[in-house]
Amino acid sequence: MVLGVKLSDIVPYTSVFLDCSFLDILFGLNKCTDFLRHQDDGRGNVIQDIQHLFVTEESPAPALVCLSARSAFDLYLRVCAFPPGSEVIFSAINIPDMAFIARQHELRVIPCDVDMETLGPRLDLLEELITASTVAVVVAHVFGRWFDISPVISLAQRYRLRVIEDCAEAFCGWECLGDVRSDLVLFSFGPIKFFTAFGGGVAKVRDRGMFNRMEELHEAYDIQSVDVYLKKLLKCAGVFCLLDVPAIIKPGMFLTDRLNIDHKRRVVEMLRGFPNDLIRRLRHRPPTALLEMMLRRFLSFDSATFWKYSVNGQYIWDRLPDGVMKFGGAAVRNNFWLFPVLVVGVSYFTITLKGE
């Protein structure tokens, strides 16, 4: 096999990066080792500080700090205890784990196609999918594109359905914390998310009684071992060097290409939050070191710096050639977390970009 990547030809950045500094990683490593040495735990105050950030005048629903957004989704379904065989309509673009969790609760997952302009569910199809067995609608703001959820909520209210608003890919600050009418709003801060804490999730729960029951069940979970978070941080430190440091990216990609190593697959494996035994791993509370990291990242949030991502994304958007299929052009807000385009022949397209 002839490998065509030349060291001088590699673009000095990758298609994915970790939105952090190496100081953030060092902070997390220090918190992990502090806990291992002293076992001193001020987690209650840290949780309260995070909750206060997510509860605003415009978005007053209480916030639950969890190990991940998926942990919160599983917790919500446990408390809801929908009858087996109930149907949950999902907007058709979402991570497989969300549907897997629903099925573990003996729920039927009903996909609803999305509108390519808004990336929200197609309303004409959504209403057709509602049956007497439907109990909830899960809609996701994907790729960093926010769509207008109001029509979905109006439809759900007409049929008395729960609305779960998945904002895992769309965090953009305290001014946009989901619709106040959504029953559950989910945010994720995993390794490849904006303002990553290398884990952690926040759920806003509209109904106070539901929140109290979720919190009570959550408190019964064991706290995830700090060793697990420490290992994740060490992996992320390696990935940071591979993805965020141009001086390492170029020789690293050159070397993996020469050795016929699929570096993309390896990086994905290293960043995977729950590689196996999903449900058991989800049902833990976040370790204190993760909570400290979440608070650090949230307190450093700067909207002006954050929206530079949108400026950069819009610059590329406006200069793509005619004929390139773009998604989410009618989104009401776009932070360009990912920049998807539609191509014919993915393998050929990838090889062409690599210059092989």
Side-chain angles (χ1 to χ4, degrees):
M1 178 180 179
V2 178
L3 298 172
V5 173
K6 299 178 182 178
L7 184 57
S8 60
D9 291 340
I10 299 173
V11 179
Y13 51 82
T14 58
S15 59
V16 178
F17 69 98
L18 301 190
D19 184 32
C20 65
S21 70
F22 204 76
L23 288 177
D24 292 319
I25 298 175
L26 292 178
F27 173 87
L29 293 173
N30 181 58
K31 288 298 179 180
C32 289
T33 54
D34 276 353
F35 181 80
L36 290 171
R37 286 197 303 266
H38 305 299
Q39 303 288 309
D40 190 13
D41 200 22
R43 58 185 292 114
N45 292 333
V46 180
I47 291 171
Q48 287 183 2
D49 289 343
I50 295 172
Q51 289 173 324
H52 289 159
L53 289 170
F54 278 85
V55 178
T56 66
E57 186 176 344
E58 296 78 18
S59 181
L64 186 65
V65 186
C66 296
L67 185 63
S68 70
R70 286 165 288 177
S71 298
F73 181 54
D74 172 65
L75 190 66
Y76 183 77
L77 294 181
R78 292 188 75 183
V79 173
C80 287
F82 294 122
S86 297
E87 297 175 354
V88 178
I89 300 174
F90 275 71
S91 50
I93 301 177
N94 207 318
I95 62 170
D97 284 354
M98 293 292 283
F100 176 82
I101 291 168
R103 293 188 180 104
Q104 291 301 298
H105 288 267
E106 300 184 72
L107 303 175
R108 293 188 62 214
V109 173
I110 309 297
C112 179
D113 204 0
V114 299
D115 183 300
M116 289 295 99
E117 283 298 310
T118 66
L119 289 179
R122 286 180 49 186
L123 296 174
D124 57 324
L125 298 179
L126 181 59
E127 187 162 17
E128 292 179 3
L129 294 172
I130 296 174
T131 70
S133 298
T134 307
V135 293
V137 178
V138 179
V139 289
H141 301 287
V142 294
F143 310 137
R145 276 79 166 164
W146 289 78
F147 66 92
D148 181 8
I149 197 174
S150 291
V152 174
I153 292 177
S154 296
L155 182 62
Q157 289 178 338
R158 194 189 319 159
Y159 289 93
R160 301 191 178 194
L161 307 178
R162 308 281 180 93
V163 176
I164 299 166
E165 187 176 2
D166 185 349
C167 308
E169 300 178 2
F171 176 75
C172 54
W174 320 119
E175 297 178 359
C176 194
L177 293 174
D179 196 290
V180 295
R181 297 166 295 173
S182 294
D183 295 284
L184 180 70
V185 181
L186 301 171
F187 293 95
S188 172
F189 301 95
I192 63 171
K193 301 299 196 308
F194 279 140
F195 275 79
T196 177
F198 313 101
V202 175
K204 290 180 64 65
V205 188
R206 185 174 63 85
D207 180 76
R208 172 62 70 169
M210 175 65 72
F211 173 82
N212 291 339
R213 292 194 294 275
M214 289 176 65
E215 187 176 48
E216 182 180 2
L217 179 57
H218 190 243
E219 285 299 311
Y221 288 174
D222 292 333
I223 296 174
Q224 184 190 64
S225 169
V226 71
D227 293 347
V228 176
Y229 188 55
L230 176 61
K231 290 175 183 176
K232 178 184 283 189
L233 285 172
L234 291 172
K235 287 183 180 179
C236 287
V239 172
F240 178 90
C241 295
L242 292 173
L243 298 183
D244 290 48
V245 184
I248 296 177
I249 293 169
K250 292 182 103 176
M253 291 182 65
F254 177 79
L255 180 62
T256 55
D257 186 74
R258 286 296 181 267
L259 296 176
N260 200 25
I261 296 173
D262 187 346
H263 66 277
K264 285 175 283 190
R265 183 175 63 83
R266 292 293 178 86
V267 167
V268 168
E269 289 174 352
M270 292 174 73
L271 292 175
R272 196 179 301 279
F274 301 96
N276 51 55
D277 200 7
L278 178 65
I279 298 299
R280 183 185 65 81
R281 291 174 181 267
L282 288 178
R283 292 176 179 174
H284 288 81
R285 285 180 286 159
T288 304
L290 171 54
L291 295 172
E292 295 268 15
M293 176 67 82
M294 293 173 73
L295 183 60
R296 169 187 169 88
R297 299 312 318 279
F298 298 157
L299 291 177
S300 68
F301 180 84
D302 174 51
S303 59
T305 300
F306 180 80
W307 285 110
K308 287 182 181 179
Y309 296 135
S310 293
V311 173
N312 294 339
Q314 194 63 48
Y315 179 89
I316 300 297
W317 180 283
D318 293 339
R319 286 160 178 78
L320 286 175
D322 294 338
V324 175
M325 177 66 179
K326 299 178 287 188
F327 301 102
V332 297
R333 187 184 292 249
N334 193 346
N335 66 21
F336 289 99
W337 176 67
L338 286 181
F339 201 128
V341 295
L342 183 65
V343 299
V344 178
V346 174
S347 297
Y348 174 78
F349 186 78
T350 303
I351 290 171
T352 301
L353 285 178
K354 290 176 63 177
E356 295 184 7

